[in-house]
Structure formats: structure tokens, C-alpha cells
């Protein structure tokens, strides 16, 4: 197989497993998990925060591992932690073991993105790197899409689904071993430290955007199915179909590179923030199923995945010649925001109700329209 194509398929699959299944399937499984293992919305927020905390921890070390050992080692660790965490989730009986499994599974996504950014930098021509990075990043949606039929049709419910996801993670481990470069195939300049990268023009602004956007995104990705079930009053089948629509819409992120050539990265960024803000506001007003919920959840999925693609590309560009450091920093702040967002949204949900919480979190994305990654208006 052509090496760039093999890299793209392997990266797309690893992102599908680590983000779409090991990380974001939690929101889809949450209503069923709470039926088997009862706990409050506040505890649900704390458990979800464990995944994002693990992401922060692993993404902090991922760029070092990539620079020191090449992309293959952190990619192998990503697949292994995804499989291990999902197995623990499958056999959990207490909120504490759920949190432990989600924490271990959450390590995987923080390891995957910087490793794959490094692999693209090492093996793909510079003029094609934005395209390949955004295509790989869209694997998140593929993982979400696949998780829905597994949860719908797999005997054994969410526990059996976790085992299936773990097996898919092990397949990605084999692919990463086979197709990702071990050591850098291109001679790199001396890797700058995180402190040096932080001082680069535009980095602090990008990290601020990532943090606030992470807070806002936690409303949907940690509580989306729960909101559709208990706020909008939908049954489990409709909820899962809408989650499928949300994940499917994220596939639009593969066109981020093409859209950037037409309207600029600033236009792509603003579009993603509008999608996130408008969808949360509309969800706050929803009661029962209506046709307009379909585009609403589609905007939620597309907005977040496109935004993460913008952060990935901008982080890699700003931190050149060490793209893994830039991607790590941007995604670290995105996850830090999601930790805060998960906990705060869970508290607001329990105290003030879904509508108030959604309006507040929608406002964060509207505010972010005034701050662009390139610092221009």
C-alpha cells in the first residue's frame, strides 16, 4: 500500500477509536449506564471530567515521546490505553471503576493526535499536510458513527459495546506498528521547549480560544444524549439516531482544508463557533422531537470537529518546526476547558436545569466569535 495512504487510513482509524469510541461514546452510553449504576448528574460530570483530565496528562507527554522515540511509540500507547480502559468500563460495577476506566481510555486520545501530527510532518509533503491532518482528524466522526449501531444491535448493551471497541483498538495497535514511522524520517531542527513555543506569536491567543471552546463543547459531548432523553423528552432510539447524525456531520471536517482555501481559516473558525453556539441555544428551547433537531445536532457535531481541525492546523503552523508540540498545547487547553465545562455543566444541570445551563454555555461560543486564531477581525 502507498505509504501516505496507509498513514492516512491508520491515522483516521486510530482517531476513530481513541476519540469516537474511547472518549465520546461515554456521552451516548451515559443514560444506559446510569440505569445500571445509579449516580447523580453532578457525579456524571465528575466522571466525564476524568477522561479530559487523562487527556491533559497524556497530551503533555505526547510531544516529548514523539520527538524522542518517533510517532510509533505514542501511537501504540494510544491504542493500548484505549483497549485497557474500555475493558475496565465493560466490567465496572461502581462509579469509581467507571471513572478509572474512563481515565485510562482518556489517555489514548491525548497520545494519538500529537503522534499522528508528527507522522504527517515526517512523511507527507508540506503542501499536503493540512489536507491529511484534517482528514485524519475527521476520524472522530467515523468512530461516533460506528459506535451507534454497535450499541443498538450488539447483544449485551453498553458493556458488550465496550468490548467490541477494545478489540477495534487492538486492531489499530497492529496497524500503527506496521505503518507509522518509528524514528523521524526527516531530519528535524532542535525541538523547541514548551516555554519557547508558548512565546511564539499567536500561541497564547490560540490556547485561550482552545480553553473557552473546550468549556462550551463539554455541554454536548459529555451530556448530549442525557439532554435529549431528559430535557427534550426523546426515547433512546431517537436519541441514538440523533447522536449518529451528530457524528456523521463531523465528517464535514474532511473539507476543512478545501474550505480554508476558499474562505480562509478565519472564516472556517467562525463558522465552527456559530455552529456550536446556535446548536446549544436551539437545544435549550427544544421539547419533544421536531424536524429541526436534526440540523441542530448536526451543527453540534460538525462545529466541534471542524474547530478541533482548526486548532490542530494552527497549532502545527505556529509551533513549526515541532508540530507535535503545538498540537499538544492546543489540545491540552481544549481538554482543560472540557474538564471545567463537564464539572460546571453538571452542577448547573442539577441546580438550575438544562435550559439555563445550555444558554450560558452557548454564550461562551458567541463570545469566541470576537477572538480569531490569527488575531484579525
Amino acid at each position: 500500500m502507498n505509504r501516505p495512504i496507509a498513514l492516512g487510513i491508520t491515522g483516521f482509524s486510530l482517531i476513530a477509536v481513541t476519540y469516537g469510541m474511547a472518549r465520546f461514546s461515554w456521552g451516548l452510553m451515559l443514560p444506559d449506564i446510569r440505569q445500571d449504576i445509579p449516580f447523580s448528574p453532578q457525579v456524571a460530570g465528575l466522571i466525564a471530567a476524568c477522561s479530559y483530565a487523562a487527556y491533559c496528562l497524556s497530551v503533555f507527554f505526547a510531544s516529548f515521546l514523539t520527538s524522542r522515540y518517533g510517532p510509533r511509540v505514542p501511537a501504540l500507547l494510544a491504542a493500548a490505553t484505549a483497549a485497557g480502559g474500555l475493558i475496565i468500563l465493560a466490567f465496572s460495577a461502581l462509579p469509581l471503576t467507571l471513572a478509572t476506566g474512563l481515565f485510562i481510555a482518556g489517555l489514548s486520545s491525548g497520545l494519538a493526535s500529537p503522534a499522528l501530527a508528527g507522522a504527517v510532518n515526517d512523511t507527507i509533503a508540506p503542501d499536503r499536510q493540512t489536507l491529511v491532518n484534517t482528514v485524519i482528524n475527521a476520524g472522530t466522526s467515523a468512530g461516533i458513527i460506528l459506535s451507534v449501531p454497535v450499541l443498538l444491535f450488539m447483544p449485551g448493551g453498553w458493556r458488550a459495546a465496550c468490548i467490541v471497541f477494545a478489540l477495534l483498538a487492538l486492531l489499530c495497535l497492529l496497524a500503527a506498528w506496521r505503518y507509522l514511522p518509528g524514528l523521524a524520517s526527516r531530519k528535524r531542527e532542535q525541538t523547541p521547549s514548551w516555554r519557547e513555543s508558548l512565546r511564539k506569536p499567536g500561541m497564547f491567543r490560540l490556547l485561550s480560544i482552545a480553553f473557552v471552546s473546550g468549556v462550551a463543547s463539554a455541554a454536548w459531548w459529555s451530556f448530549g444524549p442525557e439532554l435529549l432523553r431528559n430535557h427534550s423528552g426523546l426515547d433512546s432510539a431517537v436519541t441514538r439516531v440523533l447522536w449518529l447524525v451528530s457524528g456523521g456531520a463531523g465528517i464535514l471536517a474532511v473539507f476543512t482544508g478545501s474550505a480554508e482555501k476558499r474562505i480562509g481559516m478565519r472564516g472556517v473558525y467562525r463558522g465552527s463557533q456559530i455552529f456550536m453556539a446556535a446548536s446549544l441555544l436551539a437545544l435549550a428551547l427544544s421539547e419533544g422531537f421536531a424536524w429541526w433537531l436534526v440540523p441542530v445536532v448536526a451543527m453540534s457535531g460538525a462545529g466541534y470537529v471542524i474547530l478541533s481541525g482548526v486548532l490542530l492546523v494552527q497549532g502545527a503552523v505556529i509551533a513549526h518546526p515541532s508540530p507535535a508540540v503545538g498540537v499538544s498545547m492546543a489540545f491540552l487547553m481544549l481538554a482543560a476547558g472540557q474538564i471545567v465545562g463537564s464539572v460546571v455543566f453538571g452542577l448547573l444541570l442539577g441546580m438550575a436545569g438544562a435550559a439555563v445551563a445550555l444558554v450560558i454555555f452557548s454564550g461562551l461560543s458567541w463570545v469566541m466569535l470576537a477572538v480569531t486564531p490569527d488575531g484579525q477581525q
Side-chain angles (χ1 to χ4, degrees), residues 3 79 86 128 154 168 177 243 247 250 264 287-288 305 315 335:
R3 191 168 183 83
L86 286 163
R128 294 180 59 83
M154 188 74 189
L168 292 173
W177 177 267
W243 189 257
E287 184 175 346
V305 180

Side-chain angles (χ1 to χ4, degrees), residues 42-175:
Q42 290 89 337
V43 172
L46 291 172
I47 294 175
C50 288
S51 174
Y52 301 121
Y55 184 97
C56 288
L57 179 64
S58 61
V59 81
F60 184 79
F61 293 104
S63 61
F64 167 77
L65 292 172
T66 302
S67 299
R68 181 72 179 272
Y69 302 107
R72 184 185 297 158
V73 168
L76 293 174
L77 289 173
T81 52
L86 286 163
I87 290 295
I88 293 173
L89 281 175
F91 293 97
S92 294
L94 298 169
L96 180 59
T97 50
L98 287 172
T100 302
L102 200 61
F103 180 88
I104 294 173
L107 294 170
S108 65
S109 50
L111 290 162
S113 289
L116 293 170
V120 169
N121 182 68
D122 290 342
T123 59
I124 304 297
D127 62 335
R128 294 180 59 83
Q129 288 181 8
T130 295
L131 173 63
V132 175
N133 274 323
T134 52
V135 168
I136 288 175
N137 189 62
T140 298
S141 294
I144 294 170
I145 292 170
L146 184 59
S147 68
V148 173
V150 171
L151 282 162
L152 275 174
F153 303 116
M154 188 74 189
W158 65 272
R159 295 183 186 274
C162 285
I163 294 175
V164 171
F165 298 157
L167 293 175
L168 292 173
L170 293 177
L171 290 178
C172 287
L173 188 150
L174 296 175

Side-chain angles (χ1 to χ4, degrees), residues 16-26 86 143-144 146-147 165 168:
V17 166
T18 56
Y19 281 82
M21 298 176 190
R23 188 174 176 189
F24 291 131
S25 67
W26 167 258
L86 286 163
I144 294 170
L146 184 59
S147 68
F165 298 157
L168 292 173

Side-chain angles (χ1 to χ4, degrees), residues 216-233:
S217 70
W220 176 250
W221 293 110
S222 294
F223 293 93
E226 181 84 358
L227 292 167
L228 292 173
R229 291 276 289 272
N230 296 323
H231 171 61
S232 301

